[in-house]
Amino acid sequence: MQPTFKHRRRLVILAAAALAVGSLLLVTPGADAKGKKEIERQQIERLTPEQRAWLEEVALLITKEERAAFLAIEKDYQRDAFIERFWKIRDPYPETGRNEFKDRWDARMREVRSMFGDPQDDRAVVLLLNGFPDGQVPIKCSGFYPAEVWYYERAETLGYEALLLFYQRWGANRFILWNPMDGLGGLLRQGDASVANPGDINGILNSCPHEQAAALRAAIRFASQAGLGFGMIEAGLREAPEPAAKEWVATFNSYTTEIPEEATTFSAELDIDYPARRQSRTIVQGIVSVPVDQASLAEFGGHESYNFILTGEVLRDRKLFDSFRYRFNLPLEEVTGDKLPMVFERFLRPGVYELAVRLEDLNAKAFFGLRRELEVPLVEGAPVAQPEDEETRALLAEANAAIATGATTLRIVPPRTQLQTGMRRIDTLSTGSDIASVTFSLDDRTILKKTAPPWNVELDFGSLPRMRTLVAVAHDSSGREVARDELALNTGSQRFAVRLTEPRRGVRYRDSLRAEAVIEVPEGRVVERVEFYLNETLVATHYQPPFTQPILLGTEHELSYVRAVAYQPDGNATEAAVFINAPDYMEDLNIQFVELFVAALDREKRPVYELAQSDFSVFEDGQQQRAVRFELVSNLPIHAGILIDISASMDENLEIARNAALGFFEETIKPRDRATLITFNDHPNLEVKFTNDIEKLAGGLAGLKAERGTALYDSLVFALYYFNGLKGQRALVLLSDGKDEHSRFSYEDTLEYARRAGVALYTVGLKLPKTQLEPRKRLNRLAAETGGRSFFVKEPAELPAIYETIQKELRSRYYLAYQSTNTETDNEFRAIEVQVARNGVQAKTLRGYYP
């Protein structure tokens, strides 16, 4: 059977693009272009042979930004570190010891060099980026140049079926991919340009063996059907997969320890301490002290502070072993003494290293730099060194005392599967001999205390995959806490969260403490920075782990809190805070912070703008609450999803439905937003993970086929579960005919789960007769209970207008947050009502929540 082209992406051809190409042909390289080429030639000359070879091997993978950054690096060890990072950022499973992407690329490159010799051959390019074809037919027909037809059932770069024709013009050059715009005459040995369509070469094709003639006809038909759009197909075949984190190059470049030529410098001192060990590594604590009279003070809005960025590199055997970057903001009112101490920490195994640091005074644009040998000892028990400065040593003694030596540890073992329901046993791993008991708490409620190993617990997660938090605390025989761990369960893969393991509640701190943050990041995403605050004063900013920071408390010991805020490169943030030196009664005080996203609509269901905080009143179980935060959320990030029914009943409506879905993504998703696509019939399927790449979302919509039955409720639970762990404004658009045939979960289960999820549901019932009252009622209630809206349409052509209404509503909501006055520890549903003090305006938000 001949392969056929089943799946085609929607192609948009812009006349402006053709004009732009034509204008480019008129541009001749100027002096600037020639100068850039000469600079690049000089940069390549100073590379080692191995680095040049690497640059050639990744020519198809490396982005323009990555190539420019690599060539601009001055030192060999930094270039080698860049190469290592280049592959690491593309590793699909960084938690494993192998880099599957690099291994696959190296294997394909070996095959290309063995089969084709020249990696620039079009066949080599397609093979490197898409793998081996599912079918391959060599063409050796008289009248045609040597050719090959390749068939991909699903090309990696395109995501759909492809038939490709490669031919070798003149029989001696590289094979090139045939484009229908080149004309059929180019395929013929005689080069007869008058041949205009497949019918004109039937005579030649008839002289070819049957299999070869059939493959040629199929490949020519595939390309000809695409027409002008084949150029986009060809570009897609050559499009390399993007790195998981596009911002890594800018981060890597910012870690240089080189001091700019002719820069102003200042004096400072570097003191190294080894206060303890962390398991098999020694904690290296560096203190850079800057004399106050050498620092520049800045004033902004009445706030005066000293501001520095500290960058460091650790080399071992002339190779970059570690790099780090910190930002320090030191308010003038908190500076005591004649020095500004800035503390950094690294965890290194015993051995000899070279340490390079660069401190930049941001206010004076001045620098301090230092390189020195670092001989890291094996620390056994007590510290082997102390800061030379007596005042600094005294201040940091309390913070250093909080460092765990690693002798006693307790770690909750994450379950193998993400989704937890029913009875499950949760195990722990422990080290040390002084654990006498372990107490387990679930969602801040003590559920079990064990006084003998094994340190595990049996939990009933219920029938629905609710988010839960498990805490295990180990005590010694005297009741002193010696270790603890915390694990969030049923969070999905999108959770972005920060947790402070130090400081701890119930511990008294006098002069200093140690802050330590643990970050959970969604798969495929990175942490740009972590900020540490004492109350609302920014102490230090970390740009890489370990996220640990000694903090000086000053002379006053009033109630304070330590806060850690983690950021992603797109600006999304998450935070955690711990009160220190708090009264005992605060340990048991349960404070519920409730966040609401409220749509204010007039009588025509249009969004109402320019409302003030005083226009809103919030009630929880009938008791009025005081809003502590308020703003219009037009610029806040949105996480949006479309859950689209592709069961057999959607067959005649699927094409219009998916085009409308693409329009929703195109209109709604901005750079800081993320969207996901989930389809379902008799089971849900995650087509596209959360992304802001419209091309990926379009690719997920391509090739959908309506078939099989409908599991509506199971798919809703699955989709809402996928939102677990995300904060901020979240919305899910359900497109279905409202039927359910195969679900394990009931409607009541799904409604309760939707209430807990905190995701606004927008339900769109497609061609749902008014006589079907129960499905309509259920879709209406799902939307109303979660703060969304329900729509019922007779024709799919109405969908674009509905999607536009939804995206406008999402961009015009109000953010209201309050601390609940209800301090009870029950788990009962709490009803919420928001009222607007303006005639004709109705507030719409979730109907309540479970604490």
Side-chain angles (χ1 to χ4, degrees), residues 7 26 65 221 316 392 568 574-575 644 707 749 762 797:
H7 313 308
L26 302 177
E65 294 78 12
R221 186 184 307 116
R316 189 169 194 177
T392 303
Q568 293 177 343
T574 183
E575 64 179 78
I644 185 169
E707 58 185 356
D749 289 335
Y762 290 85

Side-chain angles (χ1 to χ4, degrees), residues 537-550:
T537 299
L538 178 61
V539 175
T541 303
H542 292 219
Y543 294 89
Q544 70 297 304
F547 298 117
T548 61
Q549 181 62 42

Side-chain angles (χ1 to χ4, degrees), residues 9 129-130 157-158 230-240:
R9 182 178 294 180
L129 294 174
N130 294 273
T157 56
L158 299 178
F230 190 83
M232 296 184 67
I233 293 176
E234 184 174 2
L237 288 166
R238 298 173 183 273
E239 185 176 353

Side-chain angles (χ1 to χ4, degrees), residues 127-247:
L127 190 152
L128 283 167
L129 294 174
N130 294 273
F132 286 94
D134 298 296
Q136 186 176 359
V137 180
I139 306 297
K140 297 180 180 178
C141 295
S142 60
F144 284 95
Y145 287 123
E148 292 181 12
V149 173
W150 287 17
Y151 169 63
Y152 284 95
E153 185 175 341
R154 187 180 178 89
E156 290 179 19
T157 56
L158 299 178
Y160 52 81
E161 187 181 48
L163 262 169
L164 309 174
L165 173 57
F166 301 94
Y167 69 104
Q168 189 182 35
R169 181 169 290 183
W170 314 121
N173 300 319
R174 297 170 176 166
F175 276 74
I176 58 176
L177 179 62
W178 181 70
N179 187 310
M181 298 299 103
D182 297 337
L184 289 163
L187 299 173
L188 304 177
R189 287 186 183 275
Q190 68 270 28
D192 186 356
S194 65
V195 178
N197 58 63
D200 293 328
I201 59 170
N202 275 337
I204 302 176
L205 283 171
N206 289 337
S207 68
C208 295
H210 176 73
E211 182 185 7
Q212 296 182 34
L216 270 170
R217 283 193 176 96
I220 291 171
R221 186 184 307 116
F222 172 88
S224 300
Q225 285 177 345
L228 290 172
F230 190 83
M232 296 184 67
I233 293 176
E234 184 174 2
L237 288 166
R238 298 173 183 273
E239 185 176 353
E242 294 181 341
K246 301 177 185 178
E247 306 86 358

Side-chain angles (χ1 to χ4, degrees), residues 103-379:
D103 290 348
R104 185 171 68 244
W105 185 262
D106 290 344
R108 288 181 181 178
M109 183 61 72
R110 287 193 296 269
E111 292 292 340
V112 159
R113 294 194 182 279
S114 172
M115 295 169 59
F116 311 126
D118 182 3
Q120 301 302 317
D121 184 296
D122 278 3
R123 296 171 303 172
V125 171
V126 172
L127 190 152
L128 283 167
L129 294 174
N130 294 273
F132 286 94
D134 298 296
Q136 186 176 359
V137 180
I139 306 297
K140 297 180 180 178
C141 295
S142 60
F144 284 95
Y145 287 123
E148 292 181 12
V149 173
W150 287 17
Y151 169 63
Y152 284 95
E153 185 175 341
R154 187 180 178 89
E156 290 179 19
T157 56
L158 299 178
Y160 52 81
E161 187 181 48
L163 262 169
L164 309 174
L165 173 57
F166 301 94
Y167 69 104
Q168 189 182 35
R169 181 169 290 183
W170 314 121
N173 300 319
R174 297 170 176 166
F175 276 74
I176 58 176
L177 179 62
W178 181 70
N179 187 310
M181 298 299 103
D182 297 337
L184 289 163
L187 299 173
L188 304 177
R189 287 186 183 275
Q190 68 270 28
D192 186 356
S194 65
V195 178
N197 58 63
D200 293 328
I201 59 170
N202 275 337
I204 302 176
L205 283 171
N206 289 337
S207 68
C208 295
H210 176 73
E211 182 185 7
Q212 296 182 34
L216 270 170
R217 283 193 176 96
I220 291 171
R221 186 184 307 116
F222 172 88
S224 300
Q225 285 177 345
L228 290 172
F230 190 83
M232 296 184 67
I233 293 176
E234 184 174 2
L237 288 166
R238 298 173 183 273
E239 185 176 353
E242 294 181 341
K246 301 177 185 178
E247 306 86 358
W248 79 273
V249 174
T251 302
F252 186 92
N253 287 343
S254 67
Y255 279 52
T256 181
T257 56
E258 299 296 315
I259 293 179
E261 294 182 8
E262 302 180 358
T264 303
T265 61
F266 59 90
S267 61
E269 296 176 354
L270 173 63
D271 191 25
I272 299 295
D273 177 26
Y274 307 101
R277 75 171 188 270
R278 174 63 61 89
Q279 297 178 357
S280 64
R281 298 176 183 251
T282 297
I283 296 181
V284 179
Q285 190 176 84
I287 306 170
V288 181
S289 300
V290 180
V292 172
D293 60 9
Q294 292 282 310
S296 180
L297 188 66
E299 187 275 334
F300 184 78
H303 175 76
E304 294 182 296
S305 63
Y306 299 96
N307 309 97
F308 297 87
I309 284 185
L310 176 69
T311 308
E313 293 176 325
V314 179
L315 279 66
R316 189 169 194 177
D317 299 329
R318 298 183 180 180
K319 291 184 178 181
L320 185 62
F321 183 81
D322 184 25
S323 58
F324 54 90
R325 191 166 183 253
Y326 296 77
R327 180 178 179 132
F328 296 94
N329 299 298
L330 309 173
L332 177 62
E333 64 270 17
E334 297 188 12
V335 173
T336 59
D338 57 359
K339 291 182 180 179
L340 304 173
M342 284 159 276
V343 185
F344 67 90
E345 290 184 344
R346 312 309 299 161
F347 298 167
L348 301 176
R349 289 189 175 90
V352 178
Y353 301 84
E354 181 183 354
L355 173 68
V357 296
R358 184 186 81 166
L359 185 66
E360 179 182 1
D361 185 332
L362 296 175
N363 303 322
K365 307 298 182 187
F367 297 85
F368 162 76
L370 178 68
R371 282 182 178 269
R372 59 178 285 185
E373 185 179 275
L374 197 65
E375 189 170 348
V376 179
L378 174 64
V379 175

Side-chain angles (χ1 to χ4, degrees), residues 106 251 276 301 347 385 551 560 694 771:
D106 290 344
T251 302
F347 298 167
I551 296 177
S560 303
I694 301 299
T771 55

